[in-house]
Amino acid sequence: MVEQWTIGGILLVALVLFILDKWRYDLVAVAALLAAALTGVVPDDQVFSGFGNPAVITVAAVLVISHALWGAGVVDALAALIGRVGNSPFVQLVALTSVTTLCSAFMNNVGAMAIMIPIALKLGRSSGNPVSKLLMPMAFGSLLGGCLTLIGTPPNIIIANFRRDLGGEPFQLFDFTPVGLGVALAGLVFIWLAGRWLVPDRGGSRKSDSLYDIAEYLTELYAPDKANGLNKTVHELEEMAEGRLRVLALVRDDRRQPAPPPYQRLQAEDILVVKADAETLKLFLDASGLELNADEKLAERFLSSNEISVMEGVIGHDSRLIGRSAADLRLRRGYGVNLLAVAREGHKLRPELANIRFKPGDVLLLQGDKDTLSGIFTRFGCYPLAERALRIGKDTRVALPLALFGLAILATAFNLASAPVAFTACAGAMVLTGLVNLRELYDSIDWPIIVLLGATLPLGGALESTGAAQSLARLMLANGDSLAPFWLLGLVLFATMLLSNVINNAAAAVLMAPIAISTAQGLAVSADAFLMAVAIGASLPFLTPIGHQSNLLVMGPGGYAFKDYWKLGLPLSVLLGITAVSLIRLIWPL
């Protein structure tokens, strides 16, 4: 009994820390694992057993495969077709959500979203339709796609592993499809029909009102022979405007230097490209003696320069930028990159950009050398929104990765190899054929997820071995002794769904699976249906932006507030929960 209370207390504290989100979930999971080891509820020889679990290996392999498919342009080929659907908001909605759902069934949800968001932005802005009406449905579609196959989302792989540990065969690649397909179709139809009323229309996402309107802030300044600002450094010039003016480029002898270093000195006849509001610009001109040299073509010429580029990107949940500012990072000095603008929930944050503390979901607008920008978002854990930047230096080779991936699927479907072996071999073949180089191999793996899984799987085992899962199941059965197994199945599914909205869905699956198994054993019925309920419930966090990275990715570009998610997510969750329980009961008899 003491061990049950101990593991229960450790998991309760970990759950609270997951919800508060003050520390990264992988660090919380490792701390909980160490606490369980020090208190003896997890034996020493099992503390790090989770890192060798087939589920962890499979998730890592699938992430590598997803990166290869992304890099080869497989999703781009589908996305290119969407550009031809026309300007109808409904047709755009159907096309974008369908393709996102399909892609997410076989690759990482976030990877699919990273490709599809720029397509949605382009369609919305070119047609004048609000992109906020498209992005949230796409994010939810990516979650629906995860229900379709074993590799669609990590919870499915985890649940398959729990079934194997029960002494049976793990769930196979398409065992999730009958239930997942019904859930996905029901969800998509509901989104298509009800989305126009339940998804907010954010005016800031329309064609006529971009998040940034860069031309409003750009101008060229000419340095005459007797200007007060001559021989001053770029840093000193910016300080003359108390930091409210930004030097974006310097033109000297017809050569344009983007993001000039702070120590660069101004010479006569130089031209500065600066960003400032009207009041700041007037004060700067009076103090520096520079002259306006602007014309109405400035923004177009500046943004289309062959030497410099401007790129939008979303700060991810695990980004290194969170809690830091441009001043902390010294973007100009360290990387030769300018921060032009920041948008949060669809609103520009204008004053003192250098001192804004970044948050997950913020949209950044960066300017600098194209080669630098192509890797800057990856370095900082962000997702680029500029469609052009996604394919810099990449050749598209669609046939080879699709062939390798198809072989892995066939090997798994016909039981020629287990999922961990088949997909690890596929990832290895992609490395050997040059589709993924060694650096990309390690960069493509979401290491916080791997650490989370490796740390929480032994905790899930302790929940079962100490008898805590059985005690929770007995409590649930005692309070629901008058309920039929069908209703208890629904209770497990909705509890998992609720949990996955506040903590990582993989962790939700690990914690709920032992309770689901014990509940099934207490009812003397097959555990398959209850495990499937956990898998579906963990895959559908629609109520909050923190429930899944796909939800968070669209928060900034769509201009959504936290409360916007439940307006569509709550009725969708209820509908799909009822649909899933009915299908599970039909396809996986108790």
Side-chain angles (χ1 to χ4, degrees):
M1 183 62 69
V2 174
E3 289 184 335
Q4 292 184 25
W5 283 105
T6 301
I7 188 63
I10 291 172
L11 290 176
L12 181 61
V13 171
L15 180 60
V16 171
L17 293 177
F18 280 137
I19 295 172
L20 293 176
D21 200 28
K22 290 188 176 180
W23 294 279
R24 272 191 9 186
Y25 52 76
D26 52 331
L27 299 180
V28 173
V30 170
L33 177 61
L34 293 176
L38 292 173
T39 55
V41 293
V42 174
D44 288 344
D45 60 345
Q46 296 180 19
V47 174
F48 301 110
S49 60
F51 292 96
N53 192 287
V56 176
I57 304 301
T58 306
V59 169
V62 169
L63 290 173
V64 174
I65 294 170
S66 294
H67 179 80
L69 294 174
W70 174 86
V74 173
V75 182
D76 283 0
L78 290 173
L81 299 176
I82 299 178
R84 307 173 185 174
V85 300
N87 294 331
S88 167
F90 180 76
V91 174
Q92 289 180 356
L93 176 65
V94 172
L96 286 166
T97 52
S98 299
V99 172
T100 304
T101 301
L102 176 63
C103 294
S104 297
F106 297 100
M107 66 180 296
N108 179 263
N109 297 348
V110 177
M113 286 298 296
I115 293 292
M116 298 303 298
I117 289 176
I119 306 301
L121 294 177
K122 181 178 179 181
L123 280 178
R125 290 171 181 173
S126 64
S127 64
N129 299 325
V131 295
S132 62
K133 290 288 189 178
L134 301 173
L135 294 179
M136 186 183 293
M138 286 169 53
F140 288 178
S142 74
L143 302 181
L144 293 171
C147 299
L148 294 175
T149 66
L150 170 69
I151 60 174
T153 185
N156 291 356
I157 299 173
I158 293 168
I159 292 304
N161 184 70
F162 271 99
R163 191 185 193 228
R164 186 205 63 181
D165 291 342
L166 283 175
E169 289 290 325
F171 286 121
Q172 300 302 311
L173 182 65
F174 295 110
D175 283 347
F176 297 86
T177 305
V179 175
L181 183 60
V183 168
L185 289 176
L188 287 175
V189 171
F190 180 82
I191 290 171
W192 296 339
L193 297 180
R196 60 182 299 181
W197 293 285
L198 298 178
V199 178
D201 179 353
R202 297 302 184 205
S205 60
R206 290 187 183 274
K207 174 183 177 182
S208 59
D209 185 14
S210 170
L211 287 178
Y212 306 108
D213 290 333
I214 302 172
E216 178 185 350
Y217 304 101
L218 289 180
T219 191
E220 283 183 354
L221 304 180
Y222 173 74
D225 291 337
K226 297 182 180 181
N228 297 333
L230 292 182
N231 296 318
K232 291 187 180 296
T233 65
V234 169
H235 174 73
E236 290 170 340
L237 290 170
E238 292 177 337
E239 286 300 306
M240 291 177 69
E242 299 180 352
R244 296 195 296 270
L245 176 142
R246 203 67 155 149
V247 177
L248 305 182
L250 184 148
V251 181
R252 179 175 296 165
D253 299 327
D254 294 328
R255 294 185 60 185
R256 184 182 297 269
Q257 182 180 6
Y263 52 80
Q264 180 76 54
R265 293 190 179 275
L266 184 68
Q267 298 180 8
E269 299 186 359
D270 283 351
I271 294 176
L272 295 180
V273 179
V274 302
K275 171 178 173 285
D277 58 48
E279 181 180 356
T280 300
L281 185 61
K282 181 180 183 302
L283 294 174
F284 178 75
L285 291 174
D286 292 340
S288 66
L290 273 64
E291 301 174 356
L292 283 171
N293 190 50
D295 62 62
E296 61 184 11
K297 299 285 188 179
L298 171 62
E300 181 181 351
R301 290 190 288 108
F302 176 72
L303 295 179
S304 63
S305 166
N306 291 327
E307 299 178 22
I308 58 179
S309 179
V310 173
M311 188 190 304
E312 293 172 305
V314 181
I315 296 180
H317 187 267
D318 300 314
S319 171
R320 294 164 54 190
L321 297 179
I322 294 174
R324 306 173 74 181
S325 67
D328 294 337
L329 297 164
R330 298 184 177 181
L331 289 175
R332 166 84 67 84
R333 184 185 299 272
Y335 303 96
V337 169
N338 278 321
L339 175 65
L340 299 185
V342 180
R344 183 171 295 162
E345 296 182 7
H347 305 291
K348 286 175 287 190
L349 304 178
R350 297 188 183 182
E352 299 187 19
L353 283 173
N355 296 319
I356 292 174
R357 298 287 171 181
F358 301 129
K359 295 182 178 181
D362 284 354
V363 182
L364 307 184
L365 193 69
L366 298 182
Q367 172 259 340
D369 178 80
K370 284 185 178 181
D371 293 334
T372 301
L373 285 180
S374 66
I376 197 74
F377 285 112
T378 300
R379 178 189 295 270
F380 288 123
C382 303
Y383 299 92
L385 297 180
E387 181 182 8
R388 166 180 60 183
L390 294 174
R391 286 291 158 264
I392 291 178
K394 288 285 186 182
D395 296 323
T396 54
R397 290 184 290 168
V398 175
L400 181 56
L402 283 180
L404 293 174
F405 187 43
L407 289 175
I409 290 176
L410 290 174
T412 304
F414 290 100
N415 293 322
L416 300 177
S418 64
V421 172
F423 292 112
T424 301
C426 179
M430 288 178 171
V431 174
L432 293 176
T433 55
L435 292 170
V436 179
N437 61 44
L438 287 178
R439 180 174 181 177
E440 290 176 329
L441 171 66
Y442 293 102
D443 288 345
S444 63
I445 297 175
D446 190 348
W447 290 107
I449 288 291
I450 299 302
V451 173
L452 173 73
L453 293 179
T456 53
L457 285 172
L459 293 173
L463 195 64
E464 191 169 5
S465 63
T466 60
Q470 291 88 334
S471 297
L472 290 171
R474 283 196 297 269
L475 180 64
M476 186 163 57
L477 291 170
N479 288 280
D481 54 0
S482 60
L483 299 177
F486 175 85
W487 297 105
L488 289 173
L489 186 68
L491 181 60
V492 168
L493 189 146
F494 278 103
T496 308
M497 187 183 295
L498 182 63
L499 191 60
S500 68
N501 275 283
V502 293
I503 69 172
N504 183 275
N505 60 356
V510 171
L511 295 178
M512 288 300 299
I515 299 173
I517 292 171
S518 296
T519 302
Q521 292 173 342
L523 292 169
V525 299
S526 170
D528 287 349
F530 283 85
L531 286 175
M532 192 62 64
V534 172
I536 296 296
S539 301
L540 303 178
F542 298 130
L543 300 179
T544 67
I546 63 173
H548 195 277
Q549 280 199 353
S550 289
N551 294 350
L552 185 64
L553 274 181
V554 300
M555 188 175 186
Y560 304 122
F562 200 96
K563 63 183 180 181
D564 291 332
Y565 286 81
W566 66 265
K567 295 177 183 177
L568 175 63
L570 181 58
L572 185 61
S573 297
V574 173
L575 170 65
L576 297 188
I578 295 172
T579 302
V581 173
S582 302
L583 289 174
I584 291 171
R585 184 68 178 84
L586 178 65
I587 297 168
W588 298 93
L590 294 170

